[in-house]
Amino acid sequence: MVELKTNQSIDAMYEAGQVVGQALTAVRKAADVGVSLLELDEVAREVLRDAGATSPFLGYRPSFAPVPFPAVICASVNDAIVHGIPTGYRLRDGDLVSIDCGAELGGWAGDSAISFTVGSARPADVRLIETAERALAAGIEAAVVGNRIGDIAHAIGSVCRAAGYGVPDGFGGHGIGRKMHEDPSVPNEGRPGRGMPLRHGLVLAIEPMLIAGGQDGYHAAPDGWTLCTNDGSRAAHAEHTVAITQAGPRILTAR
């Protein structure tokens, strides 16, 4: 069931979204050569604790997962697309890192993700990340009253495909509100003018995922959570929680 949020609820979701933005900003600032993924997870935990927020990631266990998720961030490095479990791995010069984070505050959830490089950036990685951000911006621009879910999907997919990147099949964004994952699903590729109409009060997590090698294939790592590219090429992920309003899209996780 799709729940349309009131203006007051959207304001409350903005507060949760700001905690997410603060956590991602702190993690990115802390990320450097030699820093472990577990240390980055602790940075995010501290931000959530200080804000009085909890994590919708910690302990989350969907049907495909062999174990509950053990962290408050997903930390996906290089060929990992999404859902990476933070480990003792220490970042190396040139790594491409995607961090996904959520927060629950006052009964409402926020969800956002960023990708960045550590140390010396490869030009190809810079292009990949910039394209992920452009795809996200295109999806947000299409998130207006009167459009449909397919318009968001088409906007994202068009940017990704024009740049020659792959789009992981079956993964995309989602509704968000009282829970981190709600209806409807928001594909990262689709036909314009199709799908559910966008109405004032609908809140979506819009999240393009790009594979540098141009193929769409992926597989689950042995941990059962991390999704990795089949061709070993690098991946990037960008996400914002966005409210659809009569005044236009409102980014609730703006940093």
Side-chain angles (χ1 to χ4, degrees):
M1 184 179 73
V2 175
E3 177 193 5
L4 298 179
K5 280 68 177 180
T6 65
N7 292 338
Q8 292 77 13
S9 296
I10 291 172
D11 287 342
M13 291 190 69
Y14 176 82
E15 297 302 321
Q18 290 309 287
V19 176
V20 178
Q22 292 163 15
L24 288 174
T25 298
V27 168
R28 183 168 187 172
K29 183 177 179 180
D32 202 354
V33 174
V35 176
S36 76
L37 301 181
L38 283 172
E39 289 170 335
L40 296 183
D41 185 67
E42 183 54 39
V43 168
R45 287 175 189 252
E46 183 175 357
V47 172
L48 267 59
R49 283 196 298 266
D50 289 348
T54 58
S55 170
F57 289 19
L58 185 63
Y60 181 60
R61 189 178 185 182
S63 59
F64 68 80
V67 295
F69 197 77
V72 304
I73 62 170
C74 296
S76 306
V77 180
N78 295 333
D79 66 333
I81 307 167
V82 287
H83 302 165
I85 295 177
T87 65
Y89 174 84
R90 295 192 177 276
L91 295 172
R92 302 171 183 173
D93 185 58
D95 276 347
L96 192 166
V97 185
S98 296
I99 302 292
D100 194 351
C101 184
E104 291 180 341
L105 184 68
W108 296 100
D111 190 8
S112 185
I114 56 173
S115 293
F116 55 87
T117 57
V118 175
S120 304
R122 301 180 184 183
D125 290 344
V126 172
R127 290 193 298 271
L128 179 66
I129 294 169
E130 288 177 345
T131 305
E133 293 290 346
R134 285 197 294 110
L136 175 59
I140 294 171
E141 186 177 0
V144 296
V145 173
N147 272 359
R148 293 176 176 265
I149 291 289
D151 294 304
I152 297 175
H154 178 72
I156 292 171
S158 295
V159 171
C160 298
R161 295 302 188 186
Y165 296 129
V167 178
D169 184 45
F171 278 85
H174 50 87
I176 183 170
R178 293 285 183 183
K179 298 179 180 179
M180 178 173 59
H181 290 136
E182 296 182 353
D183 291 332
S185 62
V186 186
N188 284 330
E189 198 166 30
R191 297 178 63 182
R194 298 295 183 92
M196 192 185 78
L198 305 181
R199 298 169 59 190
H200 178 92
L202 181 63
V203 182
L204 305 173
I206 299 174
E207 51 178 324
M209 308 163 195
L210 285 64
I211 298 176
Q215 303 299 313
D216 299 347
Y218 59 88
H219 62 276
D223 64 22
W225 272 99
T226 310
L227 299 183
C228 301
T229 63
N230 280 349
D231 60 8
S233 68
R234 295 189 168 196
H237 178 205
E239 178 183 16
H240 271 309
T241 296
V242 180
I244 295 164
T245 77
Q246 292 291 352
R250 181 182 179 189
I251 301 174
L252 305 183
T253 46
R255 296 179 289 276

